[in-house]
Amino acid sequence: MASLEISDFAEAVIDRMGECKDARFKQVMSSLVKHAHAFMREVDLTPEEWMAGIQFLTETGKKCDEKRQEFILLSDTLGISMLVVALDQARGANALADKPGEKPTEATVQGPFFWPGAPQMELGADIGEGYGEPTLYHGKVTDTFGKPVAGCQLDVWSGDEGGLYDMQKGDAMSLRAQFRTDAQGNYRFWSIKPAFYPVPGDGPVGAMLDKMGRHLNRPGHMHMMLQAPGHERLVTHLFVKDSPYLDSDAVFGVRNSLIVDFPKHAPGKAPDGREMDKPFYTAKYDFRLVPSARA
Ligand code: BEZ
Ligand code: FE
């Protein structure tokens, strides 16, 4: 067998997949090999650098457990998670291109702090009691044709006033809940105005970001996941308009359409009728879901 030249290794690996039965897997792996080899050739990678890379990936794996997913953090901070989200939405938009209707609400990264099984609460409940600045979140969920989505499940979660999530503090669940929209598709709940916070920086990804000269911070945001029968699931955030780091989110998750005003109000009657004895904020946002099967 003839020895391979620097330019031939990738093609030789790809050729060995002749027996592969899974066409999509073959396409993905062929492209991965092609681009990985091109990257190595482009930077003329040394053996020491390759070993450093393998060591980094090994440490990334060792940092993972049931509460910490360092590989997702790596994907997030390299912009890959958000690219995958954006590709998925673009695919959906293409499928809808010749159909009437409004643009759906933009998606963003889920992040590592979603905790399934948060308590189901009544609309209007306050999940922020005892934490930061009270904020009324309210609005309507419709489909892309403007039809209200009744009974839509809304999972919401955020960090506390210092930007720490319950999972990071080792606490019981807090600042998270599930709500269901009413018959008109409306939702409302009280929580806090979320603070900016750093992504976990005590692992190999933190060291990588430091070496890249990057900061760890995400702008203040409320996580939202919307699920309703007959509709595509939406994972998104509402970003606080006056938060720092909107222009340099460590995970590239900001979408202009998700930046929301949080007007401050003097004590008094809130829009949901609640009497507030201290200042509070409101955040109004209407969501548009894509009907299922992108039909
Ligand atoms: C978050 O928003 O909770 C998050 C997203 C990506 C990485 C770390 C945290
Ligand atoms: Fe978050």
Side-chain angles (χ1 to χ4, degrees):
M1 189 202 205
S3 57
L4 295 165
E5 300 300 323
I6 284 174
S7 56
D8 299 334
F9 286 100
E11 216 38 57
V13 178
I14 292 165
D15 282 350
R16 294 270 174 99
M17 283 191 286
E19 304 287 302
C20 178
K21 303 261 182 310
D22 183 330
R24 174 66 178 164
F25 180 68
K26 187 173 176 181
Q27 181 196 8
V28 170
M29 288 310 294
S30 300
S31 190
L32 176 67
V33 168
K34 183 172 124 195
H35 289 281
H37 282 242
F39 152 69
M40 305 279 180
R41 291 195 304 268
E42 182 182 308
V43 300
D44 194 14
L45 204 77
T46 67
E48 293 75 24
E49 287 166 338
W50 182 225
M51 277 321 293
I54 286 178
Q55 188 58 32
F56 170 78
L57 293 174
T58 305
E59 281 166 27
T60 300
K62 284 186 180 165
K63 193 76 187 166
C64 296
D65 58 29
E66 61 291 340
K67 286 233 162 116
R68 176 82 177 251
Q69 232 304 350
E70 195 77 356
F71 270 113
I72 294 184
L73 190 59
L74 179 60
S75 157
D76 292 341
T77 53
L78 293 182
I80 294 171
S81 304
M82 201 48 218
L83 174 61
V84 172
V85 167
L87 285 171
D88 191 51
Q89 278 222 310
R91 203 176 300 118
N94 286 341
L96 290 170
D98 57 345
K99 309 264 187 325
E102 300 285 326
K103 265 183 74 166
T105 302
E106 288 193 281
T108 187
V109 286
Q110 179 166 316
F113 300 125
F114 174 63
W115 192 344
Q120 183 79 44
M121 300 219 182
E122 293 294 317
L123 286 176
D126 187 353
I127 61 171
E129 198 106 53
Y131 295 93
E133 301 168 294
T135 302
L136 172 65
Y137 293 81
H138 63 122
K140 200 177 189 71
V141 182
T142 66
D143 68 11
T144 45
F145 301 94
K147 185 166 165 248
V149 182
C152 174
Q153 181 179 304
L154 207 77
D155 264 278
V156 306
W157 69 103
S158 79
D160 64 15
E161 62 279 15
L164 274 179
Y165 286 79
D166 46 9
M167 286 167 117
Q168 292 174 294
K169 296 186 280 189
D171 286 358
M173 283 188 182
S174 61
L175 291 162
R176 62 179 77 235
Q178 297 183 339
F179 298 95
R180 274 188 196 284
T181 53
D182 66 16
Q184 289 74 46
N186 294 313
Y187 73 90
R188 62 190 174 281
F189 65 92
W190 287 82
S191 185
I192 61 168
K193 185 183 180 197
F196 72 87
Y197 66 85
V199 300
D202 61 342
V205 172
M208 175 195 79
L209 293 177
D210 188 48
K211 196 157 183 182
M212 284 174 148
R214 287 174 52 183
H215 70 74
L216 298 167
N217 293 301
R218 300 212 63 208
H221 57 272
M222 174 63 66
H223 291 262
M224 304 250 189
M225 182 189 290
L226 288 82
Q227 303 181 79
H231 300 82
E232 301 264 321
R233 188 177 78 143
L234 172 69
V235 177
T236 194
H237 305 349
L238 301 184
F239 290 94
V240 180
K241 193 172 184 175
D242 61 2
S243 176
Y245 304 112
L246 281 171
D247 289 332
S248 62
D249 182 2
V251 305
F252 306 92
V254 177
R255 314 302 265 168
N256 289 340
S257 67
L258 301 175
I259 299 175
V260 180
D261 248 330
F262 277 62
K264 188 169 187 175
H265 307 273
K269 207 185 195 93
D272 67 342
R274 182 177 177 188
E275 273 306 331
M276 294 298 291
D277 58 7
K278 54 179 167 181
F280 62 97
Y281 294 87
T282 51
K284 182 174 186 304
Y285 197 82
D286 295 334
F287 294 92
R288 277 195 297 268
L289 300 183
V290 179
S292 282
R294 292 167 172 165

